[in-house]
Structure formats: structure tokens, C-alpha cells
Amino acid sequence: MAKNEPAERMKRKDYEKHLEKLQVELCQLQDFVKANKLRVIVLFEGRDAAGKGGTIKAITEKVSPRVFRVVALPAPSDREKTQLFFQRYMEQFPAGGEIVIFDRSWYNRAGVEYVMGFCTAREHDRFLTLCPQMEKYVIDGGIILVKIWLEVGMDEQERRFRARIDDPVRQWKLSPMDLESYRRWYDYSRARDLMLKRTSTKHAPWYIIRSDDKRRARLNCIAHLLKSIPHKRIKKDKVKLPPRSDKGRYNDQAGLRGMNFVAERY
């Protein structure tokens, strides 16, 4: 294979084998975070169709939503527009024993808001100036912050958009904003470059994952996440089911007679 030639797409069987092992370790990470009251923020950014949703789903599929909490905020309300910019994001920050995953974050201001003209050039520059300071404040306060950018190529993004157009269960993923972002590819590229230059710091660096192959991207992302949060396996006592008590025993199915059951169509 030539040096610059993309790697062959990972086979599903290989992907599922590696994913299972990584998800076991995510469960171990979960136990460690709970036991030590850690506070973790993981934020995902990237172009539309970069694979953020699928990656987050792979991370959270086998863990507790009470530990791994996903935040995907809608556009700000009229009230929120009058607040400090970071305010609505900070309301979602983790308490002890939580990992909060932002499916898009305050970096909306460096991307879609800037490119689409939802903020002024001055507001954009102010964000890029203050963001590293805010993140240092968060980290100094004891929160672990992991910033991930999923980088999808132009051809692959187009392929995914076209697949969404033809798939009735994925058409909801294709909004007018997505189509406009597709048109403005190079505007988003320049915004990305400026964001990375101004906000990838020693205390809060950006980590970039190529996501043309979704399966490889998900595995690489989970492996990076596990490496970024120091943890070790928590020893647990073996769980044993207690014997059921026969006290008050009765025919508990008889009480369901005459109730409304859903038709068994399958």
C-alpha cells in the first residue's frame, strides 16, 4: 500500500472484537470514576457527518447513563442569549463521579456561529482569547478535560450526506444547516484551523482523529479516552443472588387476567 493511500476499511468482525474489549475497560473506568468522585468532561467537535454521534454511542452503549451523561444542547433560547456565553454550558458540568460528554460544545462559537454569521467577528475573537483561560480555570478546579476533533474528508462527507438523503431513517440528520455547511467547506476549514491554533494549549490540547473509517475512528477514540483518564480496576466482591423468600407466596399471574396486553405481533 502506498504511503498516502488510505487504510482498508475495518471489517465488522474485527471491529466488534476490539470494541467489546474496550467497552469492558470503559466499565472499569466507570467504576473508578464513581469510587474516586472524579469529574470528567469529554467534548466532541467536527464537521457535520464526521461521526460524532456514532462514536458517542459506541462509548455509552454499555455504561450507565448516570455516570456517562451526554449533553447535546439546542440553539440558545432568547433568555440564554442574554447570559454569559459559557453559562449554559457550565450548568451541565459534572459533579463527582460523572463523565459529561458534550456532543458539540462551547466551540460552536468557533465553528458554526462564526461561519454562519450568528456571532460578530469581535465576539468570535473574544471567545478565542478567553476560551483557554476558562479551560485553565476548569482544569485547575480539578476537572479532567478531553477535547476531540473528528476529521472527515471532503469525499467521505459527501458520501455520508448522499446516504442520508436516500435513507428514510437517517434523513432527520440532514438539516438546512448541514447543507449550508456542506457548501461552505473551505470556510469551515479556515475556522477549524484558527480554532486549533488559538485554543490547543498545553493544559487543554486538541486531539484529532481521522474518521473516514468510522469503525477505526471509534476504536481509536475510546482507546485515547481510556489513556487520557488515569484509572485502575476496582476490585469487587462477587455478586450472589439471594434465595427468594416464599413468605406471602401467591399466584402473582392470576392478578393479570383481564388486563390489557400488547398484541404479540412478532
Side-chain angles (χ1 to χ4, degrees), residues 5 11 35 64 73 125 145 153 191 195 206 208 218 251 253:
E5 186 178 336
K11 304 296 184 185
S64 170
L73 295 181
D125 183 69
L145 176 62
M195 180 196 77
W206 278 102
I208 300 170
R218 292 168 188 171
N251 183 356
Q253 293 300 300

Side-chain angles (χ1 to χ4, degrees), residues 235-250:
K235 188 175 181 180
K236 292 183 174 182
D237 295 331
K238 188 173 181 179
V239 177
K240 293 182 179 180
L241 286 175
R244 280 202 172 108
S245 172
D246 282 338
K247 185 178 179 180
R249 182 173 180 174
Y250 76 107

Side-chain angles (χ1 to χ4, degrees), residues 30 46 61 63 86 132 147 162 165-167 187 189 196 261:
Q30 172 179 257
E61 187 177 18
V63 293
F86 287 107
K147 303 192 303 189
R162 293 192 182 281
I165 291 171
D166 297 331
D167 187 342
D187 290 339
S189 294
L196 295 175
F261 280 81

Side-chain angles (χ1 to χ4, degrees), residues 140-185:
D140 287 347
I143 292 178
I144 298 171
L145 176 62
V146 183
K147 303 192 303 189
I148 296 171
W149 175 272
L150 295 179
E151 177 65 17
V152 65
M154 182 185 287
D155 292 342
E156 179 61 18
Q157 187 197 51
E158 179 175 349
R159 188 192 69 78
R160 292 177 187 177
F161 275 168
R162 293 192 182 281
R164 290 178 181 183
I165 291 171
D166 297 331
D167 187 342
V169 301
R170 287 192 289 173
Q171 286 174 358
W172 64 270
K173 292 185 175 184
L174 202 57
S175 69
M177 195 71 69
D178 295 329
L179 298 177
E180 188 62 20
S181 74
Y182 172 84
R183 189 175 73 84
R184 300 193 187 196
W185 174 272

Side-chain angles (χ1 to χ4, degrees), residues 64-93:
S64 170
R66 289 183 290 274
V67 178
F68 283 77
R69 179 161 55 88
V70 178
V71 175
L73 295 181
S77 65
D78 290 341
R79 180 177 182 275
E80 288 171 333
K81 289 176 183 178
T82 67
Q83 297 175 342
L84 290 173
F85 175 72
F86 287 107
Q87 188 170 336
R88 73 189 192 118
Y89 296 103
M90 296 189 78
E91 289 173 351
Q92 302 293 334
F93 277 19

